[in-house]
Structures are given as C-alpha cells and as structure tokens.
C-alpha cells in the first residue's frame, strides 16, 4: 500500500516568510510524528499526534513552529517568520497504535527546506 | 530515557552477515529496543523491535541479551543496498517519540 507522503519535496523561501509543510500518513495509522534533520545533524523530535490531539509538543523549538492534524489524517507543520537556522529536512512518520505493544514508525521522504 | 552506545562505523563484505552491536545498560523494564536505518538522502526506515525475546522478520534478526543491557542487529546476508546509518533506540512504553543518537555507519563492500 501507499506509504507516508510529504509535500512539497523541496521548498526554498526567504527569511521572514511563513511556510507550510504537509504530511499524509499511512491510511489507518492513528499516530503521527514530525522530526527534523539539519545538515550533518541527527534526527530531532518535534511533535507527536494521537488522532487530532498533540499530547507531546516538547520538541517544537520555538513558538514560531506549530502543527495541526485534522480528521485524524493529514497534518500540517507551519513555520512562521522563517530563519536561516530553520533550514533542514522535515520528516513525518506514522504508526499504528496497538494496545498489545509499541509499533514501528514509518517515515516519509521528507521536505527539504532552505531559508535564504 | 535509556541511552544507547553504538560503534561509529563498521564494514562488512557483501554476502556476509553484518552484526551491529548496541549497548543500553540503563534500559528499564518497560523500554523497547528499536532499530532503524537511514540510507543516504532518504527518510529513516523501521527495521525491527523487541522487548525481551529475540525477534526475526524478513529484514533482520534482533538478539537481546538476557539482562537486556545489550542487543545485536543481524543482517544475515548483507548487500550493497544495506549501506546505511543504523540507529539503535530504546523507547519506553509510555512515550512515543524516538530519540535518535549518532548510529553506526555500515559500509558494505563488494
């Protein structure tokens, strides 16, 4: 079946502009995650959704970052007033929550954001 | 969250088994061991996970020591396409975020 998809695949923007990044999780996956990976750096957790609610926003680096999820499916990560340090690959993942145990997360290809 | 220690890099000949070690000596009883890999310029790929017992799937085997303080990911017949950074992550049942370390860069050579 279809995996996690993200759009756009690449985004170049000017400092100070707002950007929206979209994630379509695997159908039926109730959990959705955003991470980012800066050049040469490790993967950094940003936010986690269970359904439409976000019980863990601890990784959002500043109040310029926000995310929402509607209908328990598509999620949008918004970065306001972008800064050059926001340049990174933004990765979305989804997983199937099961009471019997934890499941693996399935990642999309990422959105490469470059802030000039 | 328990931290993990992995070798920075490893080499493996194509067709041979790749054995990637991970130490997680501070793991708690409710923490799972996960393995992911990231091939260059791609998103991470889930490989396998386990709690106490050894696990096997179509990609790999996971061997967890009896005291759960270390584990080994085994790729039974490595191919050039297995060249990637491999991440060992421990994650408690109560949280869902993954904390990625620096991983092991596996280079499979012909």
């Amino acid at each position: 079946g279809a995996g996690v998809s993200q759009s756009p695949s690449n985004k170049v923007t000017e400092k100070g502009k707002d950007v929206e990044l979209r994630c379509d999780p695997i159908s039926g996956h109730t959990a959705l995650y955003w991470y980012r990976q800066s050049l040469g750096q490790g993967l950094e957790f940003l936010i986690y959704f269970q359904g439409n609610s976000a019980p863990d926003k601890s990784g959002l680096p500043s109040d310029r970052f926000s995310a929402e999820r509607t209908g328990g499916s598509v999620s949008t990560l918004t970065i306001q007033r972008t800064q050059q340090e926001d340049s990174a690959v933004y990765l979305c993942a989804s997983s199937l929550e099961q009471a019997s145990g934890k499941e693996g997360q399935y990642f999309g290809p990422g959105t490469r954001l470059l802030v000039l | 969250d328990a931290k993990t220690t992995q070798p920075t890099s490893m080499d493996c000949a194509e067709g041979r088994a790749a054995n990637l070690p991970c130490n997680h000596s501070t793991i708690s009883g409710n923490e799972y061991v996960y393995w992911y890999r990231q091939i260059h310029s791609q998103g991470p790929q889930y490989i396998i996970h386990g709690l106490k017992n050894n696990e096997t799937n179509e990609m790999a085997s996971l061997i967890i020591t009896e005291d759960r303080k270390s584990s080994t990911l085994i790729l039974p017949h490595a191919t050039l396409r297995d060249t990637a950074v491999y991440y060992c992550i421990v994650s408690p049942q109560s949280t869902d975020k993954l904390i990625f370390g620096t991983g092991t860069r596996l280079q499979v050579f012909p």
Side-chain angles (χ1 to χ4, degrees):
Chain A
V4 177
S5 61
Q6 293 185 246
S7 61
S9 54
N10 292 281
K11 177 71 175 178
V12 181
T13 190
E14 294 179 348
K15 177 181 175 181
K17 300 283 189 181
D18 297 351
V19 296
E20 284 190 353
L21 312 179
R22 177 187 169 107
C23 172
D24 285 85
I26 293 172
S27 178
H29 280 194
T30 57
L32 185 146
Y33 314 80
W34 285 97
Y35 296 83
R36 75 174 177 181
Q37 187 170 31
S38 303
L39 185 63
Q41 301 295 314
L43 289 114
E44 174 187 14
F45 167 80
L46 298 178
I47 188 170
Y48 154 62
F49 286 92
Q50 175 56 41
N52 291 336
S53 64
D56 191 348
K57 306 179 182 179
S58 62
L60 295 178
S62 75
D63 58 7
R64 296 187 295 104
F65 287 72
S66 63
E68 64 176 12
R69 189 180 186 195
T70 55
S73 182
V74 173
S75 176
T76 302
L77 177 69
T78 301
I79 309 173
Q80 295 178 310
R81 305 180 302 281
T82 53
Q83 303 294 313
Q84 288 181 333
E85 60 263 28
D86 299 334
S87 297
V89 176
Y90 288 82
L91 291 151
C92 176
S94 69
S95 71
L96 181 64
E97 293 284 318
Q98 290 189 356
S100 60
K102 300 284 294 281
E103 294 296 319
Q105 297 180 18
Y106 295 86
F107 284 77
T111 293
R112 284 165 177 74
L113 174 66
L114 177 62
V115 182
L116 300 177
Chain B
D1 294 352
K3 294 183 179 178
T4 63
T5 304
Q6 299 178 252
T8 303
S9 63
M10 293 183 64
D11 291 338
C12 180
E14 189 176 21
R16 304 299 289 267
N19 297 285
L20 292 92
C22 179
N23 286 323
H24 31 80
S25 58
T26 59
I27 193 170
S28 300
N30 66 346
E31 289 184 315
Y32 287 77
V33 179
Y34 287 85
W35 283 84
Y36 287 78
R37 73 180 182 183
Q38 188 172 27
I39 296 170
H40 183 61
S41 297
Q42 296 183 21
Q45 178 186 22
Y46 165 75
I47 301 173
I48 199 167
H49 75 286
L51 184 62
K52 296 180 181 178
N53 300 321
N54 298 337
E55 302 286 345
T56 296
N57 62 20
E58 64 278 4
M59 290 183 67
S61 294
L62 173 61
I63 308 299
I64 303 174
T65 57
E66 192 169 346
D67 63 7
R68 304 210 322 126
K69 293 185 176 182
S70 66
S71 61
T72 301
L73 180 75
I74 301 173
L75 308 179
H77 305 287
T79 71
L80 298 178
R81 288 175 296 179
D82 292 323
T83 292
V85 178
Y86 287 76
Y87 297 97
C88 169
I89 301 166
V90 292
S91 178
Q93 199 167 16
S94 60
T95 66
D96 295 86
K97 61 186 176 185
L98 298 174
I99 308 297
F100 287 83
T102 55
T104 295
R105 185 172 299 276
L106 176 69
Q107 178 69 54
V108 181
F109 58 91

